[in-house]
């Protein structure tokens, strides 16, 4: 065997030796915070970790037939969907992340269309350019043609462009609330109306905003309507492991009705084991994240989430003010999150490279060129001030031409 590849050690190594090898890979508590973004403050992390620990060895695969597992999962879904103005008949499923929630939506949409429009053999789904790439992955997996349309001048989905992209093969349409690259809400009510007129499934991707928007709205920040209040919205994806502050992996896919959820289920029994009833794509899965989500949602309650939203908006404001004070940089006042900034004077690839070198985990946006900060409510004033000081120093050095290799602006 190639000697540069790691072989399983012939005998086990001591735990302390192994810990010593891994410990240097742990993040710095201040500069490394965003590497583990979307954890809440330390007390929230602690309750989530406890429940995760207690139940991580339990198999969530059994949740459709073991009472206590199913009950906790159902309660998580009910608490989650209660935030989105659900009709009485709304339903949902717990998933491993935004990508899986989106695959669930695309799969259900395809099954629904097979029944409703059996003549469509090459189904298409229309969405704005800014929709998450997991729609394209899902399209590939499920044999759906993904049609992305140019954004309007306000960088939101253009209703006209979406409408023009609809063909006799279109089965569904997607909007983001908001999109990840620059935090813009698509005009969900208008798109949902278009979907209703054309008889299409409408999915709203609220992965990043879902568990933040309801609380930001209560703080008086006006946001466009996006949830089940809007007639015509069939399904919503929302990530508990983003602004729900639940330990990864945790997301939700919510259905307007049980009738729509029916298209999600695949329950085979054509093997020796009899009926194989799983809640979604996964078979064996840890029950840890489900119990951790239950614990975090109950621990915080509406008041807790409201407090975190208030803190988050204050941190965002301070960062915007600080970034705009550096000179050569401009932070956007977008609809919600994430926080992004641009530069017309300094090479953003250099800034991103230098930030990474210092341990700050930020991502990029290629078109338009932006740096994207995964700001969360675990971010405190010390982190914000250190980040601004580091950023100002990087810009100063960059302007004097003292820079190392940059890093591509990509997610
Ligand atoms: C994060 C995100 C996703 C994908 O979620 P993962 O949990 O990374 O799979 C999808 N859509 C939007 C808008 C997101 O922000």
């Amino acid at each position: 065997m190639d000697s540069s590849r790691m072989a399983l050690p012939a005998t086990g190594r001591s735990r302390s030796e192994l810990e010593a090898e891994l410990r240097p890979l742990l993040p710095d508590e201040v500069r490394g915070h965003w590497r583990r973004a979307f954890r809440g403050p330390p007390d929230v992390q602690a309750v989530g970790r406890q429940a995760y620990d207690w139940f991580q060895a339990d198999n969530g695969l059994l949740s459709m037939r073991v009472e206590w597992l199913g009950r906790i999962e159902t309660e998580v879904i009910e608490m989650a969907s209660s935030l989105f103005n659900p009709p009485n008949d709304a339903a949902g499923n717990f998933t491993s992340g935004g990508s899986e929630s989106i695959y669930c939506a695309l799969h259900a949409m395809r099954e629904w269309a097979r029944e409703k429009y059996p003549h469509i053999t090459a189904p298409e789904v229309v969405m704005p350019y800014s929709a998450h790439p997991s729609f394209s992955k899902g399209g590939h997996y499920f044999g759906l043609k993904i049609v992305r349309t140019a954004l309007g001048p306000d960088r939101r989905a253009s209703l006209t462009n979406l409408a023009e992209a609809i063909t006799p093969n279109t089965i569904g349409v997607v909007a983001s609330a908001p999109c990840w690259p620059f935090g813009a809400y698509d005009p969900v009510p208008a798109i949902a109306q278009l979907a209703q007129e054309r008889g299409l499934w409408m999915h709203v991707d609220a992965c990043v905003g879902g568990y933040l928007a309801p609380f930001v709205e209560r703080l008086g920040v006006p946001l466009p309507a996006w949830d089940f209040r809007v007639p015509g919205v069939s399904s919503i994806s929302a990530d508990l492991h983003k602004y729900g502050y639940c330990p990864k992996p945790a997301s939700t896919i919510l259905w307007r009705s049980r009738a729509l959820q029916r298209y999600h289920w695949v329950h085979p029994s054509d093997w020796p084991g009899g009926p194989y009833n799983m809640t979604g794509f996964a078979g064996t899965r840890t029950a840890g994240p489900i119990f951790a989500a239950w614990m975090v949602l109950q621990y915080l309650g509406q008041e807790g989430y409201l407090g975190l939203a208030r803190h988050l908006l204050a941190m965002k404001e301070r960062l915007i003010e600080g970034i705009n004070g550096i000179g050569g940089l401009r932070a956007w006042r977008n609809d919600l999150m994430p926080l992004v900034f641009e530069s017309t004077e300094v090479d953003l690839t250099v800034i991103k490279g230098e930030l990474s070198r210092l341990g700050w985990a930020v991502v990029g946006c290629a078109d338009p060129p932006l740096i994207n900060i995964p700001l969360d409510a675990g971010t405190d004033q010390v982190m914000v001030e250190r980040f601004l000081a580091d950023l100002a120093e990087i810009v100063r050095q960059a302007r004097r031409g003292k820079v190392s290799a940059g890093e591509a602006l990509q997610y």
Side-chain angles (χ1 to χ4, degrees):
M1 197 183 87
D2 180 350
S3 63
S4 69
R5 295 206 197 183
M6 183 179 251
L8 184 66
T11 57
R13 298 164 63 194
S14 77
R15 179 171 164 177
S16 61
E17 187 188 329
L18 296 169
E19 283 181 357
E21 197 168 324
L22 293 186
R23 195 168 289 116
L25 304 181
L26 288 170
D28 173 272
E29 278 199 13
V30 175
R31 285 173 169 153
H33 176 78
W34 291 332
R35 192 181 108 182
R36 296 177 167 187
F38 304 118
R39 294 170 296 161
D43 60 321
V44 178
Q45 294 175 32
V47 294
R49 200 155 46 225
Q50 186 191 63
Y52 199 108
D53 237 46
W54 280 3
F55 295 96
Q56 66 86 18
D58 281 297
N59 198 340
L61 160 153
L62 300 168
S63 73
M64 290 194 86
R65 54 192 170 81
V66 172
E67 192 279 333
W68 54 273
L69 266 169
R71 178 165 50 82
I72 294 293
E73 187 168 15
T74 300
E75 288 178 2
V76 169
I77 291 296
E78 288 177 357
M79 286 188 278
S81 70
S82 72
L83 297 170
F84 307 151
N85 297 289
N88 286 339
D89 192 30
N93 295 94
F94 189 93
T95 73
S96 67
S99 299
E100 186 183 340
S101 295
I102 286 165
Y103 303 152
C104 290
L106 290 173
H107 169 262
M109 185 190 296
R110 189 192 69 179
E111 297 306 294
W112 168 85
R114 276 182 178 168
E115 200 173 291
K116 193 169 157 86
Y117 303 117
H119 60 281
I120 298 182
T121 53
E124 301 176 8
V125 184
V126 173
M127 64 194 65
Y129 174 45
S130 51
H132 196 269
S134 52
F135 287 101
S136 298
K137 282 175 70 181
H140 184 83
Y141 296 146
F142 299 127
L144 299 167
K145 180 177 171 192
I146 300 299
V147 180
R148 290 178 183 259
T149 60
L151 304 177
D154 56 358
R155 293 210 168 83
R156 302 175 198 278
S158 149
L159 187 68
T160 320
N161 292 351
L162 288 175
E164 278 175 3
I166 293 171
T167 74
N169 285 329
T170 304
I171 63 167
V173 58
V174 170
S176 306
C179 70
W180 174 268
F182 29 82
Y185 275 77
D186 292 324
V188 172
I191 299 171
Q193 195 187 336
L194 173 72
Q196 279 190 309
E197 284 164 10
R198 308 289 183 95
L200 304 175
W201 182 294
M202 160 102 188
H203 179 75
V204 173
D205 181 15
C207 275
V208 66
Y211 294 107
L212 178 59
F215 302 105
V216 164
E217 272 189 325
R218 285 185 217 176
L219 293 175
V221 178
L223 289 176
W226 60 274
D227 64 12
F228 287 125
R229 269 174 290 189
V230 181
V233 171
S234 316
S235 54
I236 294 175
S237 46
D239 287 352
L240 287 165
H241 66 202
K242 284 186 182 140
Y243 293 103
Y245 304 118
C246 298
K248 294 180 272 292
S251 175
T252 49
I253 173 72
L254 303 158
W255 317 99
R256 174 174 284 278
S257 65
R258 294 201 178 275
L260 292 185
Q261 186 188 34
R262 191 163 60 80
Y263 298 101
H264 166 69
W265 301 123
V266 182
H267 290 160
S269 59
D270 53 347
W271 75 316
Y276 183 79
N277 295 335
M278 303 295 123
T279 63
F281 289 179
T284 294
R285 56 179 181 150
T286 165
I290 305 169
F291 282 76
W294 187 93
M295 188 102 152
V296 168
L297 288 160
Q298 288 280 330
Y299 174 76
L300 281 171
Q302 300 185 31
E303 199 185 341
Y305 278 108
L306 209 54
L308 293 184
R310 195 179 289 116
H311 171 73
L312 180 72
L313 291 183
M315 293 297 105
K316 184 184 181 192
E317 204 47 44
R318 171 64 193 128
L319 272 169
I320 289 178
E321 179 192 68
I323 291 168
N324 290 343
I326 287 173
L329 304 181
R330 192 172 73 87
W332 287 15
R333 292 204 172 273
N334 57 9
D335 292 325
L336 194 62
M337 292 288 171
L339 174 56
V340 297
F341 65 92
E342 63 180 343
S343 180
T344 47
E345 298 172 35
V346 194
D347 185 349
L348 284 180
T349 65
V350 167
I351 295 182
K352 184 163 176 265
E354 292 297 303
L355 285 172
S356 305
R357 205 177 48 77
L358 290 174
W360 293 105
V362 296
V363 292
C365 175
D367 179 21
L370 295 169
I371 286 179
N372 186 314
I373 300 177
L375 188 61
D376 61 29
T379 304
D380 62 23
Q381 243 144 352
V382 173
M383 295 164 193
V384 166
E385 298 309 324
R386 174 73 64 82
F387 176 77
L388 290 172
D390 284 349
L391 185 60
E393 181 57 24
I394 290 169
V395 170
R396 202 163 22 247
Q397 298 292 342
R399 284 179 182 281
R400 291 161 63 194
K402 286 193 186 164
V403 287
S404 53
E407 204 175 274
L409 293 178
Q410 61 174 51
Y411 185 71

